[in-house]
Amino acid sequence: MKGFLFDENLPIHIQFSPAWPVEHVTDLGAGLSDTEIWEYAKTNDLVIVTKDADFSDRIITSSPPPRVIHLRFGNMRKQDFHAFLSRVWPKIEALIETHKLVNVYLHSLETVD
């Protein structure tokens, strides 16, 4: 894996420091389809980070790359969002190295091989 691709439903600027570089879908242009995002992540060996169930559904029937981190919690203030992810992100990074999907809940992490 060479980095993370944050989906358009997530903040453009993150306030924590992942171990790998971060790109945002909006940097790629407007109106990309899920398939275009998927192919870009696959070609560039990026992990898709999203709140969109379509990507986690797709990875269930596919082999990586790409891998997917599905944030499965409701909306929260940006400050709380960044604080939460900064606390759990090291665990997420460790899990995504060996799993094709990491589901992130407020009180737990779930993986799919």
Side-chain angles (χ1 to χ4, degrees), residues 7 10 31 47 49 53 59 64 68 70 73 85 88-90 94:
D7 199 4
L10 299 173
V47 176
V49 182
I59 194 65
V68 175
H70 187 180
F73 50 86
L85 281 186
V88 300
W89 199 257

Side-chain angles (χ1 to χ4, degrees), residues 66-79:
R67 296 174 187 271
V68 175
I69 298 170
H70 187 180
L71 306 179
R72 299 179 68 113
F73 50 86
N75 292 334
M76 58 177 65
R77 294 180 320 141
K78 280 187 183 180
Q79 182 179 358

Side-chain angles (χ1 to χ4, degrees), residues 28-87:
L28 307 178
L32 293 177
S33 69
D34 285 352
T35 299
E36 290 171 316
I37 294 167
W38 182 270
E39 289 303 319
Y40 180 83
K42 185 175 182 176
T43 299
N44 293 283
D45 200 17
L46 300 174
V47 176
I48 297 172
V49 182
T50 187
K51 283 190 162 190
D52 186 346
D54 293 343
F55 290 112
S56 60
D57 292 345
R58 189 172 186 168
I59 194 65
I60 296 297
T61 61
S62 300
S63 296
R67 296 174 187 271
V68 175
I69 298 170
H70 187 180
L71 306 179
R72 299 179 68 113
F73 50 86
N75 292 334
M76 58 177 65
R77 294 180 320 141
K78 280 187 183 180
Q79 182 179 358
D80 295 336
F81 173 84
H82 293 295
F84 172 70
L85 281 186
S86 69
R87 281 193 312 272

Side-chain angles (χ1 to χ4, degrees), residues 8-25:
E8 63 188 352
N9 54 14
L10 299 173
I12 292 173
H13 303 288
I14 58 170
Q15 298 173 0
F16 60 96
S17 299
W20 302 315
V22 172
E23 293 184 45
H24 198 275
V25 167

